[in-house]
Amino acid sequence: MRRHYFYWLFFFCPLLLSGQPEAPLAQWAQIAVDRQSLITAFRDGNSTEVRALLDTLRGLENDRYLPLQWDERWLLYFWLEDYNAAFAEVARFTKAWEDNNAMKIAPPADSLFKILDNRLYGDQGQYFEQIRQADLPAEEQTFADLLLNFLLRLSTEEPAAAEFDARLDAFLTQYPTSRFARFMRGRMYNTPPPGNWGLSVDVLFLQGNWSGMLDNNFRTCYGGDFAVGYWNNRWNAYLRIPVGGQKLQRPVEAKGYFWEKDESSTFFGVELEAGYDIISKSRLRILPTVGGGYTTIRPPLEDEADPYPDYFDFFKFQGGHLTAAVQADVKFNAGKTNVATSYHGVRVRVGYRWLNLGGENPALRGNMFFFAVGYTMFGRQAQSL
């Protein structure tokens, strides 16, 4: 029986193989062979052969196959002292290009990168000296030194990481329009440099104190103050939701019915705020905000097993409001893996809401002075490629 299976397999194999696209298979095999030849030429120190094979492999790249990763090519450029080729690719490097390459079939899992990396790492002094001796403009010579440091991962641990980032800062300060700036900001920093915008989240404990008739009829409000925020160059915008609860300390009459003393009530609001950072230091941030929105005081959500009487609908009061506040953050570092100036910390808010709940009932006339304290997270977004 096994002999019959073998005969059928022998008969169909050529048919199956003939159905495969020959060119892609041949190209994949050629990439694998050329990479092995490149390894041999590199180990032999044959720069002429390495250069020819590098050109051949670059020529084999298409929409489907990626013969060489960008860091493999750049290490080879440093070995060949072909700095201009590395500079040209760095200047063209974009996130879209990188994403497109990620969709291609990756190079074979051979030892090329490891061999290149080990050789240049072991002889790094020689290659840095070659850069210093190269006939390059000052900007390109400085960048080549930084790029080789980055490729060999020489400054990923403290204190070298902070020193390397400071060197990048100094370069970009001296050459702000450098063609290498995009790649440096998007890829080379250990702590990613911040962009012009950020996002934040607040989770705060709220205390609300009433004025006017609200103070006569309702006890102090306790609850939460929740917000998401957008920051751009010191300007801030927030979507904020204050919510709390309090009991009635006097009956409230509406259309001949009474909301009795000691009954529970809910305060709920939705508001938009805008503000500007007047102080933004490493440990402290202070900004005033103004805004407005919608508020309501009403009975809590009813229990389906014990529904409210129909007249409780008369005790749902709502209206627009205006808000002014000052908030201060005590900052704690978010960690070196996060974008610079990101933080988490304690947020304190003090402010006033001018309410408009008493239009239909004088018992709801009044405003709210509030105090809120809690936790905030602010994430500065990184500069992108």
Side-chain angles (χ1 to χ4, degrees), residues 78 81 83 123-136 141 144-145 148:
F78 275 100
E81 299 183 66
Y83 305 115
D123 297 333
Q124 60 186 264
Q126 169 190 335
Y127 297 105
F128 283 115
E129 181 61 28
Q130 287 177 356
I131 292 170
R132 286 189 285 271
Q133 297 298 325
D135 183 18
L136 295 172
Q141 191 170 69
D145 188 285
L148 182 57

Side-chain angles (χ1 to χ4, degrees), residues 225-241:
D225 191 347
F226 311 97
V228 292
Y230 173 81
W231 178 95
N232 191 307
N233 285 331
R234 300 177 75 103
W235 286 99
N236 300 267
Y238 294 96
L239 172 63
R240 189 169 295 280
I241 298 177

Side-chain angles (χ1 to χ4, degrees), residues 64-197:
R64 185 174 183 184
Y65 290 106
L66 184 68
L68 290 164
Q69 298 287 5
W70 57 268
D71 49 358
E72 294 173 332
R73 290 196 308 273
W74 295 4
L75 287 171
L76 284 167
Y77 294 149
F78 275 100
W79 187 77
L80 293 166
E81 299 183 66
D82 190 357
Y83 305 115
N84 288 328
F87 296 156
E89 291 195 18
V90 170
R92 294 195 302 267
F93 197 103
T94 63
K95 185 67 166 58
W97 177 83
E98 187 178 23
D99 290 343
N100 182 58
N101 283 343
M103 301 298 293
K104 298 179 183 180
I105 297 174
D110 52 30
S111 57
L112 177 59
F113 176 80
K114 183 177 180 180
I115 291 169
L116 295 172
D117 187 60
N118 287 342
R119 172 73 65 83
L120 272 74
Y121 180 85
D123 297 333
Q124 60 186 264
Q126 169 190 335
Y127 297 105
F128 283 115
E129 181 61 28
Q130 287 177 356
I131 292 170
R132 286 189 285 271
Q133 297 298 325
D135 183 18
L136 295 172
E139 176 188 344
E140 294 181 350
Q141 191 170 69
T142 304
F143 176 71
D145 188 285
L146 292 167
L147 182 61
L148 182 57
N149 188 307
F150 166 73
L151 290 172
L152 297 179
R153 304 173 304 286
L154 302 179
S155 302
T156 58
E157 300 294 333
E158 297 297 348
E163 294 169 358
F164 183 74
D165 286 359
R167 290 179 61 196
L168 297 178
D169 289 340
F171 180 94
L172 293 172
T173 299
Q174 185 173 2
Y175 306 106
T177 60
S178 173
R179 58 181 172 149
F180 311 127
R182 179 175 57 190
F183 181 80
M184 293 174 72
R185 293 190 177 103
R187 270 310 190 94
M188 292 178 67
Y189 277 85
N190 294 289
T191 300
N196 292 329
W197 64 285

